[in-house]
């Protein structure tokens, strides 16, 4: 009951919180060639509706970080994402130890010059993915999900503070603190669910639909995961 009330309050807050248009700092990555492209409202309609269950979930069921896209570079997935998203590229020492550099955390608009102060957020958290269909996947597919760099929206470097505030919550329960990031965030959440064939429960769908009305110019692009 409490969770339902909180979710209802979150949905209501969408109407009460002004949604700023995305700035260049919150602009989503460009659509890759061959991607499915939908407006947000239509994309939300494509997400399967299903009840969620966390029975049996363990974070260790999703192996990460693995050796990344290029095993020869000596960097695991986390550091490869940091290198890919850096505004100013950090120094890379032996063992792929990063220092310096500059990142822009789009969840809160903060600039960060210490990679240790960043988390790599799974756009759809591992626990939420488990609830939404990943419980039935093979271990190899869960590892692929947890280290997915083939879609620019699956993993994102953000301040540790915002990532830990989000935890395993969906958009009915949590949104980035920067209002101007909301449309991009919901678009990328929806894209990730569609890419991996994940479902959403009713409260989540209801929240996404409310945002879709406010973010009418937001475009979702995704390619189905292999």
């Amino acid at each position: 009951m409490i969770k339902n009330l909180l979710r209802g309050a979150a949905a209501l807050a969408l109407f009460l919180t002004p949604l700023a248009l995305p700035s260049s700092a919150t602009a989503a990555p460009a659509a890759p060639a061959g991607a499915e492209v939908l407006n947000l409202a239509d994309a939300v309609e494509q997400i399967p509706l299903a009840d969620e269950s966390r029975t049996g979930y363990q974070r260790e069921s999703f192996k990460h970080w693995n050796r990344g896209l290029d095993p020869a570079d000596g960097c695991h997935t986390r550091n490869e994402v940091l290198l890919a998203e850096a505004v100013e590229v950090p120094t890379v020492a032996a063992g792929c130890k990063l220092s310096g550099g500059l990142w822009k955390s789009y969840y809160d608009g903060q600039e960060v010059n210490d990679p240790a102060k960043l988390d790599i957020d799974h756009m759809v958290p591992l626990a939420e993915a488990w609830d939404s269909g990943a419980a039935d996947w093979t271990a190899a597919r869960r590892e692929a999900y947890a280290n997915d760099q083939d879609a620019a929206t699956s993993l994102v470097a953000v301040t540790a503070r915002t990532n830990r505030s989000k935890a395993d919550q969906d958009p009915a329960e949590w949104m980035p603190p920067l209002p101007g990031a909301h449309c991009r965030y919901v678009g990328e959440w929806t894209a990730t669910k569609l890419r991996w064939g994940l479902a959403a429960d009713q409260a989540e769908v209801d929240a996404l639909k409310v945002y879709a009305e406010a973010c009418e110019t937001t475009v979702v692009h995704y390619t189905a995961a292999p």
Side-chain angles (χ1 to χ4, degrees), residues 23-34:
S23 67
S24 59
T26 58

Side-chain angles (χ1 to χ4, degrees), residues 68-88:
L69 288 178
D70 181 6
D73 68 6
C75 300
H76 51 51
T77 301
R78 170 186 160 82
N79 282 1
E80 286 187 350
V81 173
L82 288 172
L83 289 168
E85 296 193 3
V87 177
E88 295 178 6

Side-chain angles (χ1 to χ4, degrees), residues 16-135:
L16 301 179
T17 303
L19 285 168
L21 291 176
S23 67
S24 59
T26 58
E36 294 286 341
V37 180
L38 301 166
N39 66 51
L40 179 57
D42 289 342
V44 170
E45 292 290 343
Q46 299 299 314
I47 300 176
L49 179 65
D51 292 333
E52 296 181 357
S53 172
R54 196 155 297 183
T55 302
Y57 169 71
Q58 298 181 60
R59 188 172 176 82
E60 294 74 20
S61 296
F62 295 81
K63 181 182 177 182
H64 68 293
W65 305 110
N66 66 16
R67 295 174 67 191
L69 288 178
D70 181 6
D73 68 6
C75 300
H76 51 51
T77 301
R78 170 186 160 82
N79 282 1
E80 286 187 350
V81 173
L82 288 172
L83 289 168
E85 296 193 3
V87 177
E88 295 178 6
V89 180
T91 300
V92 184
C96 200
K97 183 177 181 180
L98 307 183
S99 60
L102 182 68
W103 291 263
K104 185 69 172 283
S105 168
Y106 95 78
Y107 288 2
D108 54 5
Q110 297 298 304
E111 292 188 346
V112 180
N113 57 16
D114 180 356
K117 294 182 179 179
L118 292 162
D119 280 356
I120 305 303
D121 183 35
H122 292 92
M123 174 55 60
V124 175
L126 301 181
E128 169 69 20
W130 179 274
D131 298 351
S132 307

